[in-house]
Amino acid sequence: RKAAQTALPTSPAGMHEDSRRQPTGCLPCVPSRRLRRSKSVFPLEVFERDVDNRPRLPPLSESVLADEGFLAPNGSVADPARLLQRIYDSGLHADIRSRMWLRMLGCVPWKASAAREVELRNMRIAEYRRVRELWEPYDAEGRLGECPHGSLRPYARIIDVDVPRTDRQLWPMDEDLLPLRRVLVSMVAADVVPGYYQGMNDLAAVMLTALAGDEADSLACFRALLLRIQINFEDDQAGIWRQAAALLGALELIDPPLHDSIRSSGAVGKGGECVPLFQPIFLVLKRELASYADVWDCWERWWAASDAILGEDACAHYQLVLVLGFLEVKRPQIRANTQGVAGFLQIVNAAATSISAEELIDRARVVHLALAQQRSISSPTAASPVNAIWSSQRLLSTTTTASTQRNQ
C-alpha cells in the first residue's frame, strides 16, 4: 500500500477545468448564537434540540428542482449555493442523483446548460472508451500486469484480489463484479497516482451503485472523489493521522468526557495516530453505514457542506464532522469501554453496516453546530469558525477539495 511520491493531478479527465478553489469556512446553516457557557459547549443538549426541531424536508426531486426555481430555462443551475443548502437539508431523490453527483463532484459545471451536459456526457463516454483500449488487449491475453500504462504493473494483481471481496450480497456472481473491475483497472491505467490502495474497491462500488451502473460516469466521479480525499494517500498514512489528530482535537472542544475515554483507552499515539479511526476516515464510513443508500445520503451532505462555491460558508472537512457524529452515536459504548484499545477497536468494528444515515446526519449536525459555537466563544472574530479548527491541525493547507466555483 505504498503511496505515490507525487501529488494527484489537479484536474483528471472527466472533471471540468473551472479551477479548484479551497473552501475556507463553514456551512451557512450554523447560526451564530451566544451561549451562556463561557468556555465550553458541553453538554450538547441545546444543539440536539435545535436539530430535533428543524423542519424535515423531502429529498430534492426532479419536480421540486423545476417547481422551486433551482434551474434556469437553459437547464443550468440558477443559484448553486441555494441548491447546495437544499441538498444539505434534505438529500437527493434517486431521479436526480446521477445528474447532481456529476455537478457536485466537478464533472459538470453548475452553469452548464442542458445541451452542454450532453456534450460532456459524450466526452466522458469517449474518454472511458479510450482508457479501456489502453489495457484491454493485455487483459485479453492474460498479461494485465505487463500493461505499461498508468500504474497497472504493480497494482493489477491487488485489484484482482480485492474485487471478489466487494459486497457479495449485492453482487453474488463473479460476472456481476466485472463493471467494478473495469472501472478500477481503468482508473489505475489512466492515472499514475495515487495508484491503488486496498479499500478503493468500496469507494468505486458506491459510485457504480449510485449512478445505476453507468461505468463512464462512475469512472469520472470516482477519479473526482479520489482528488477530493487525496490527503488519505500520503506516504506512511501521514494524512490519515493528521485527520485523526484534528478530529480528536475537535472532539476535545465539544465533548471532553468522550475525548478522555478515547485517550485513556491507549488508542492514540504520540503523533495523533489512532488505529481504530483509520477505516472510518479512509473510507468515509462506507463500511459502518447500514446500506449503500445510507452512504449516498451521508456523502451528499458532505459534498454539499464542503463545496468551495460557498466561500467562507463551506466546511472544508465535513467528512470529519461525519466521523465525529459516528463517535457520538457510539458514545455510550466508548464511555463504558474497560478493555483499552482492543475494546475501542472492537466497538468500531462491531458497528459495521449498522449505522443509519438519519441518525448519523443528525449527530453530525449537532457536532457541526457545537464546533461553530465553541470556536465563536473562544474567537468571536473568526470568519470561519469550524475551518479554524482544521487549519490549526494543518489540514487546510495540505489538501485540495475537488469542488469549485463552477460558474463559467
Side-chain angles (χ1 to χ4, degrees), residues 349-368:
N349 289 341
T353 66
S354 68
I355 307 298
S356 74
E358 182 177 6
E359 181 180 28
L360 181 61
I361 289 167
D362 280 353
R363 297 309 301 175
R365 284 178 177 274
V366 169
V367 167
H368 196 204

Side-chain angles (χ1 to χ4, degrees), residues 161-222:
V161 170
D162 261 10
V163 167
R165 300 172 176 170
T166 310
D167 293 319
R168 295 314 295 261
Q169 72 277 13
L170 184 64
W171 294 297
M173 307 299 292
D174 287 346
E175 54 266 30
D176 297 333
L177 288 163
L178 291 177
L180 176 62
R181 181 178 183 270
R182 286 193 291 266
V183 168
L184 289 171
V185 174
S186 296
M187 181 275 294
V188 177
D191 300 322
V192 174
V193 292
Y196 181 84
Y197 285 67
Q198 288 181 318
M200 282 185 174
N201 54 314
D202 285 292
L203 302 177
V206 174
M207 297 300 160
L208 273 168
T209 54
L211 302 176
D214 187 303
E215 295 177 37
D217 285 351
S218 294
L219 176 62
C221 287
F222 181 44

